[in-house]
Amino acid sequence: QLQLVESGGGSVQPGGSLRLSCAVSGGSVDDYAIGWFRRAPGDERWGVSCISQSGGWRGTADAVQGRATISKDKVKNIVFLQIDPMTPDDTAVYYCAAGEYCSGYVAYPQQYWGQGTPVTVSS
């Protein structure tokens, strides 16, 4: 059973940066497309970014285009999402999920989910 654990969330001021981690166990990040999603207060969960098994495809949503970078450490089996600079609109609970492929910036199908890590961007 694949398990995903997010970390790195917290509070940050507008203009600051944050790097989120998605630690994968029970499988390899090379075997799954890994996607980041977020759910803002009162909103649905939306895709943010996706990285393919090989790392050759990296899709990013328009809302974070030019500010977000997805990457992975194959040795440590971790997928990262960095957003810089952050804005109050980035306030959300961030989740990672594992799937079979990236369709743009969304991993499909979302077979496994982490528990989420909250991020608050406020001055």
Side-chain angles (χ1 to χ4, degrees):
Q1 179 84 3
L2 198 71
Q3 292 187 324
L4 296 86
V5 178
E6 302 93 336
S7 62
S11 296
V12 62
Q13 293 187 340
S17 67
L18 211 60
R19 188 175 79 159
L20 306 177
S21 299
C22 174
V24 177
S25 61
S28 171
V29 294
D30 288 348
D31 293 333
Y32 295 88
I34 304 294
W36 281 97
F37 298 77
R38 69 185 184 186
R39 177 180 284 151
D43 199 1
E44 300 178 19
R45 185 158 54 187
W46 298 97
V48 177
S49 190
C50 185
I51 186 167
S52 65
Q53 287 86 334
S54 68
W57 176 263
R58 305 182 191 201
T60 305
D62 289 347
V64 294
Q65 190 68 252
R67 300 188 295 119
T69 303
I70 191 169
S71 62
K72 60 180 172 179
D73 185 323
K74 297 181 180 185
V75 174
K76 295 183 178 179
N77 226 26
I78 299 175
V79 175
F80 303 101
L81 178 71
Q82 181 159 357
I83 301 178
D84 183 13
M86 300 201 76
T87 74
D89 288 343
D90 295 321
T91 295
V93 178
Y94 285 74
Y95 302 86
C96 60
E100 296 179 0
Y101 61 92
C102 293
S103 178
Y105 52 84
V106 182
Y108 283 111
Q110 297 102 41
Q111 300 166 314
Y112 304 95
W113 287 95
Q115 82 290 346
T117 185
V119 172
T120 301
V121 185
S122 174
S123 56

